[in-house]
Amino acid sequence: KLAFPNKDCSTPEKIIALLHEQLSEQSSKLVEIKQTWDSLQEIRGKIAQISDDINSYLNDQTARLAKTQSKINRLKTASVEWDKYRANESLFISLFSWLPLVRKKRYYQVKLFLDDKLGSLIIEKEPTEINDIDGLIKTLLNSEEQEQKSYQNNIDRIHQILQQEKDIFSKWLTIASELGYKQGEEPSLLQIDELADTQIRFPLFLLTTHYWEGRWLIDVLNIDDLNKEKGRNGLKTVEPRWQRRMMLTPCVVMTCYMLPSHMVISEHKGQKGFENSYAYNLADLLIVDEAGQVLPEVAAASFSLAKKALVIGDTAQIPPIWNITPSIDTGNMLEEKILAENTQGQINAEYESVTKIGKSAASGSVMKIAQLSSRYHYDSDLERGMYLYEHRRCFDNIIGYCNELCYQGKLLPKRGNSNNHLFPAMGYLHVDGKGEQRNTGSRFNRLEAEIISAWLIENQQRIENHYGKPIQQIVGIVTPFSAQVSTIKDALSKQGITTGTSEGALTVGTVHSLQGAERAIVIFSPVYSKHEDGSFIDSDNSMLNVAVSRAKDSFLVFGDMDLFEIQPPSSPRGLLAKYLFLEEENALHFEYKERKDLQKSNTKIYTLHGVKEHDDFLNQTIINTEKHITIISPWLNLQKLEQTGFIDSMAQAAAKGIQVKVITDRNYNIHHSDPEKRKEREVNLHNALEQLDSYGIATKLVRRVHSKIVIGDDNLLCIGSFNWFSASREAKYERYDTSMVYCGGSLKEEIQAIHNNLDRR
């Protein structure tokens, strides 16, 4: 009664009729929008077919019409004058025109007349006989009148089309105004359609909701015995029951495991009595989300219950978790006659063809099956089906990695590049930790976990101030291994940060935990270190594709970056290295932590703080070394070598027969955007290397050195964040770097792992 104060609302049927009337009225508005826009585009298409500049074309036609009218007037005047000329012509000339002299005189008199009255109107050769002149004038007049009619028709048609365009455009502006469009520019269909979402479609949705509520009430009231109806499970009862449910909620959400159990019906099988079956093809549409993660054998039953399916997913992201091995899958297929009994080679080939179409229980997915079943193939470079090309979640310099890794560059980034000055879009913190393995086979890296937790605590306030949210809603941490998940959770728990899946907890998990989710900042802990290759991360593109594409603003890797350097550029980690190391600003800096795996009973551990302690340590180490010393420093500055006395200490050690080796990075040392500065740096590096060589100090150039390490003999190892040969020694520019020093006989294996990694590079 509130909605229809002046209408009869005594029964649901009457209210439904009123609602349907309003639905039709609102729906016709949508039809009118489309028809008006189509008409406007059609009439403008006609105008465009006539001319690109219709006003210039109209002016041209008008000018031609005026010119033609002038010719017609001239021809009509000439016709009258010719009649007068004939009437006034001398009888002598008419009678004796057969005489050559008279004939010639008559010809020149007629020629003078024609030139005077017609002139340029005579396009073809002049008439030779006087009797032809009447016909000529009539022919010319008829031609000009036809042309005049053509120009006039063109002008009338253009005016008619322009008036139609004006009327339709006026109608379009009226529609826009009624929907609340207030901008000065001509509204596009997209702008009007967006207004229709709120002004027409949303009211339509509400009206439709109430309409079907009324239909539901009527249907329920028409059931003779509701309790008796609830106990029936035949198709004739189940189908109307589902249709009634859909009146209130047109879409229900279930897992593929649950759906079949809700579609059970009872069928009478003659003497066998009643048996359970299923309501096949009952649902109008089955929508499968995240279909790239759905097992085909789990979803197959649900597909039999629907007429059509809309399958949404991405096979370049996390695949399903298969519980069956290919050998068992092959055995099952043989038993069920899906594969024919044959030689092993033929069975393998036949099974391979099944896996290619995604229908294997050991490697398939619903998304893969759907792609191969779709008739649509918009892009020959990609799989079949329709594609969402536009990407709006991540900054362009984040999704660029995924685009190159998995999507052949087909994604269209729409967010723009990062202007977030908090952290780089693609950043990293080099961590010289060690990946270890638990009894379960899962791996962990304790140093990575501890540095992630400490870094988060140190930056928490800064992050929360920047985003205006608690850190749990901003940051997500992903890693390939469940053992690392628990290690990171333990480290965060000690720092007072709650982790888990509940609201207010920070998400830490394997890549699966963030599938379909997003965070402003995603921290990736690779776990692997220079002690092993870590090919597991590269075994499937989906792992890093999902991890990187979850980050809206920043994707930060906390791990051993030296391991990323040695990967092939085409591998997922090798490609990631390209993006991470693109800019020097992508490197993060943080206080170094002690490695627990190097804590042995006979190992002495202490920390270096600041420039002076580091300088004193290195000079003393060079003096105390007995056999060999290796110094890894990304940057090499000859002035700093001389200023600190390092070059003298190393020269003296080399003179005593001690092997002194300096490892640095060529690119870091010469990199500069200014070509002149770059050239100058290249000269400086060359001079420094020559100087060291002259003292018998070996030098090696390694591409992108991340570690800052000192190795003395086989019993001293110093790892940290201090740039030995480039750090500023001026107090105002001095950074408070830290390094951990390990001394003892148990370091030999760790030192060998570092040397092996350097040798590979």
Side-chain angles (χ1 to χ4, degrees):
K1 283 188 173 293
L2 288 171
F4 307 107
N6 302 317
K7 303 289 184 179
D8 182 1
C9 300
S10 57
T11 66
E13 287 83 357
K14 290 178 178 179
I15 297 170
I16 280 175
L18 292 169
L19 286 164
H20 195 273
E21 186 180 329
Q22 285 204 357
L23 282 166
S24 299
E25 183 183 326
Q26 292 293 323
S27 181
S28 65
K29 291 180 181 179
L30 291 174
V31 174
E32 185 182 32
I33 289 172
K34 184 69 168 63
Q35 288 177 343
T36 304
W37 176 259
D38 288 345
S39 298
L40 186 60
Q41 298 312 301
E42 183 182 356
I43 201 71
R44 285 177 172 173
K46 288 181 180 179
I47 293 171
Q49 284 179 349
I50 295 170
S51 174
D52 292 336
D53 187 343
I54 195 65
N55 290 322
S56 296
Y57 181 78
L58 184 60
N59 291 337
D60 176 69
Q61 294 293 297
T62 304
R64 288 172 183 267
L65 179 67
K67 190 175 180 180
T68 304
Q69 184 62 54
S70 175
K71 289 180 181 179
I72 290 169
N73 293 339
R74 190 174 172 186
L75 285 165
K76 285 181 177 180
T77 302
S79 179
V80 173
E81 292 295 326
W82 176 247
D83 289 341
K84 288 180 181 179
Y85 178 87
R86 291 296 302 272
N88 294 330
E89 188 180 38
S90 164
L91 185 61
F92 173 82
I93 291 175
S94 297
L95 289 172
F96 296 99
S97 59
W98 53 274
L99 294 171
L101 286 174
V102 176
R103 182 182 180 87
K104 189 173 184 180
K105 182 176 178 64
R106 189 185 196 195
Y107 169 77
Y108 281 115
Q109 284 179 339
V110 171
K111 187 176 187 304
L112 286 171
F113 174 84
L114 291 174
D115 287 344
D116 179 45
K117 302 301 181 184
L118 297 178
S120 61
L121 292 177
I122 304 176
I123 300 170
E124 298 176 1
K125 67 178 182 176
E126 297 175 6
T128 56
E129 298 296 330
I130 196 166
N131 294 330
D132 295 338
I133 293 173
D134 279 331
L136 172 65
I137 292 173
K138 286 180 181 178
T139 300
L140 289 172
L141 185 59
N142 183 62
S143 174
E144 292 298 331
E145 285 176 341
Q146 289 296 323
E147 203 165 334
Q148 180 193 44
K149 186 178 180 181
S150 173
Y151 291 141
Q152 189 62 56
N153 287 340
N154 283 346
I155 291 168
D156 292 343
R157 184 165 65 96
I158 291 167
H159 280 302
Q160 183 183 9
I161 289 174
L162 289 175
Q163 186 59 46
Q164 287 177 344
E165 196 268 348
K166 183 179 178 182
D167 293 342
I168 297 169
F169 182 59
S170 176
K171 185 179 179 182
W172 181 247
L173 291 179
T174 301
I175 290 171
S177 176
E178 289 174 353
L179 289 173
Y181 183 80
K182 295 178 180 178
Q183 297 179 31
E185 297 178 0
E186 177 183 326
S188 66
L189 178 61
L190 178 61
Q191 289 170 312
I192 297 305
D193 194 57
E194 286 176 350
L195 287 170
D197 281 343
T198 56
Q199 303 301 311
I200 300 176
R201 292 192 184 95
F202 184 63
L204 267 173
F205 170 75
L206 297 177
L207 288 167
T208 307
T209 301
H210 297 312
Y211 172 83
W212 285 108
E213 286 170 350
R215 288 282 302 270
W216 181 85
L217 283 168
I218 293 168
D219 276 19
V220 170
L221 289 170
N222 286 335
I223 296 172
D224 295 332
D225 187 340
L226 194 59
N227 288 324
K228 190 176 180 182
E229 196 268 352
K230 285 179 182 177
R232 294 173 178 168
N233 290 316
L235 185 61
K236 289 183 180 179
T237 306
V238 169
E239 188 169 0
R241 183 185 297 151
W242 269 110
Q243 288 173 346
R244 284 197 305 274
R245 289 170 178 167
M246 295 298 104
M247 291 176 186
L248 298 184
T249 172
C251 180
V252 293
V253 182
M254 287 184 237
T255 64
C256 289
Y257 289 97
M258 290 294 295
L259 179 59
S261 64
H262 289 276
M263 292 288 188
V264 175
I265 61 171
S266 182
E267 286 185 339
H268 191 266
K269 299 287 186 180
Q271 292 182 346
K272 293 182 179 179
F274 286 92
E275 289 184 2
N276 283 343
S277 184
Y278 293 90
Y280 299 114
N281 294 317
L282 179 62
D284 292 313
L285 179 65
L286 173 70
I287 302 173
V288 185
D289 193 21
E290 295 289 359
Q293 286 189 286
V294 180
L295 293 163
E297 69 272 20
V298 172
S302 297
F303 276 79
S304 70
L305 304 172
K307 299 182 181 84
K308 294 182 179 180
L310 174 61
V311 182
I312 306 164
D314 185 354
T315 52
Q317 298 205 15
I318 297 299
I321 298 174
W322 298 288
N323 298 315
I324 294 177
T325 63
S327 58
I328 293 175
D329 194 28
T330 303
N332 290 338
M333 288 186 181
L334 286 168
E335 186 175 343
E336 296 300 327
K337 311 300 181 188
I338 295 170
L339 300 179
E341 291 282 358
N342 221 317
T343 65
Q344 189 60 48
Q346 289 172 320
I347 290 172
N348 290 341
E350 201 174 339
Y351 179 73
E352 183 66 25
S353 67
V354 173
T355 62
K356 283 180 180 178
I357 58 175
K359 295 182 179 180
S360 162
S363 63
S365 76
V366 168
M367 191 66 207
K368 191 171 182 181
I369 295 171
Q371 284 177 323
L372 291 166
S373 303
S374 175
R375 77 176 91 176
Y376 301 106
H377 200 178
Y378 293 161
D379 195 322
S380 58
D381 294 332
L382 299 171
E383 298 289 346
R384 301 177 69 83
M386 293 183 284
Y387 275 84
L388 174 62
Y389 289 101
E390 295 182 355
H391 181 92
R392 300 178 186 275
R393 176 195 296 136
C394 313
F395 282 126
D396 295 3
N397 36 3
I398 296 177
I399 201 61
Y401 167 76
C402 304
N403 209 359
E404 191 173 346
L405 178 69
C406 293
Y407 304 107
Q408 290 82 54
K410 297 286 184 174
L411 291 182
L412 301 175
K414 292 293 182 180
R415 192 176 171 199
N417 283 319
S418 170
N419 56 2
N420 178 2
H421 300 298
L422 187 63
F423 303 115
M426 297 289 275
Y428 66 91
L429 180 64
H430 176 63
V431 179
D432 271 301
K434 182 179 181 181
E436 300 177 77
Q437 193 169 5
R438 294 219 170 119
N439 294 332
T440 58
S442 188
R443 299 175 182 276
F444 68 99
N445 188 313
R446 191 178 288 108
L447 188 62
E448 281 181 20
E450 290 172 353
I451 288 182
I452 288 170
S453 63
W455 183 88
L456 273 177
I457 289 297
E458 183 167 302
N459 289 278
Q460 180 173 359
Q461 197 63 51
R462 184 180 168 205
I463 293 170
E464 291 180 341
N465 290 343
H466 182 84
Y467 286 99
K469 297 177 185 176
I471 198 167
Q472 290 83 351
Q473 296 177 24
I474 305 164
V475 177
I477 304 173
V478 293
T479 179
F481 302 104
S482 56
Q484 183 69 349
V485 171
S486 58
T487 305
I488 293 171
K489 284 182 175 181
D490 290 343
L492 288 170
S493 178
K494 291 174 184 175
Q495 300 281 8
I497 296 179
T498 305
T499 60
T501 56
S502 61
E503 191 176 348
L506 192 143
T507 300
V508 182
T510 57
V511 179
H512 296 80
S513 64
L514 279 180
Q515 170 88 353
E518 60 184 35
R519 292 292 185 275
I521 300 169
V522 170
I523 297 173
F524 181 68
S525 172
V527 177
Y528 287 113
S529 59
K530 58 177 63 69
H531 307 82
E532 53 192 334
D533 180 67
S535 58
F536 173 69
I537 297 175
D538 292 331
S539 61
D540 192 327
N541 290 356
S542 66
M543 183 179 296
L544 282 176
N545 182 38
V546 173
V548 174
S549 62
R550 300 309 98 192
K552 294 169 63 178
D553 297 351
S554 293
F555 178 76
L556 309 176
V557 179
F558 282 55
D560 191 337
M561 306 317 296
D562 288 336
L563 194 62
F564 281 72
E565 286 290 0
I566 61 176
Q567 306 309 319
S570 59
S571 69
R573 281 183 298 169
L575 182 62
L576 183 59
K578 168 187 162 183
Y579 281 81
L580 292 174
F581 307 142
L582 193 62
E583 304 288 343
E584 286 185 28
E585 295 75 17
N586 289 349
L588 304 175
H589 302 281
F590 191 65
E591 180 182 357
Y592 213 80
K593 299 290 180 184
E594 182 181 329
R595 267 178 55 179
K596 300 289 194 300
D597 62 289
L598 295 179
Q599 289 180 346
K600 303 288 170 56
S601 58
N602 60 343
T603 303
K604 179 184 175 184
I605 303 174
Y606 61 94
T607 309
L608 301 176
H609 298 283
V611 171
K612 188 177 185 310
E613 288 188 14
H614 281 88
D615 285 353
D616 290 344
F617 164 80
L618 184 54
N619 273 315
Q620 196 61 44
T621 300
I622 295 169
I623 292 169
N624 294 336
T625 298
E626 296 178 356
K627 295 178 182 177
H628 49 79
I629 181 170
T630 301
I631 305 160
I632 305 170
S633 180
W635 287 271
L636 183 64
N637 185 305
L638 186 57
Q639 185 182 357
K640 296 290 191 300
L641 285 169
E642 293 169 344
Q643 178 186 344
T644 55
F646 291 158
I647 197 162
D648 292 335
S649 300
M650 288 190 292
Q652 290 172 19
K656 292 190 293 182
I658 296 170
Q659 185 185 17
V660 182
K661 186 186 294 183
V662 172
I663 296 172
T664 190
D665 186 296
R666 180 178 183 275
N667 291 336
Y668 283 161
N669 280 286
I670 68 173
H671 177 75
H672 203 283
S673 55
D674 183 349
E676 289 299 320
K677 291 282 187 184
R678 181 181 173 88
K679 190 174 181 181
E680 181 184 332
R681 289 187 173 191
E682 198 162 3
V683 170
N684 290 338
L685 175 62
H686 179 73
N687 292 339
L689 294 175
E690 274 199 341
Q691 185 86 354
L692 291 170
D693 185 59
S694 68
Y695 289 124
I697 300 165
T699 56
K700 295 284 184 184
L701 294 177
V702 176
R703 186 167 63 94
R704 277 196 291 265
V705 173
H706 300 283
S707 299
K708 292 95 175 178
I709 296 175
V710 175
I711 301 171
D713 293 328
D714 293 325
N715 56 8
L716 183 142
L717 177 62
C718 177
I719 309 175
S721 60
F722 184 71
N723 287 300
W724 298 100
F725 298 148
S726 65
S728 176
R729 268 67 181 181
E730 296 178 53
K732 61 179 179 179
Y733 298 118
E734 190 177 314
R735 273 179 38 191
Y736 194 71
D737 288 298
T738 60
S739 297
M740 299 303 304
V741 181
Y742 306 89
C743 305
S746 60
L747 298 169
K748 192 169 184 179
E749 186 179 336
E750 181 66 23
I751 289 170
Q752 188 59 50
I754 295 170
H755 281 303
N756 290 343
N757 179 264
L758 290 169
D759 290 342
R760 289 181 64 184
R761 297 169 61 196

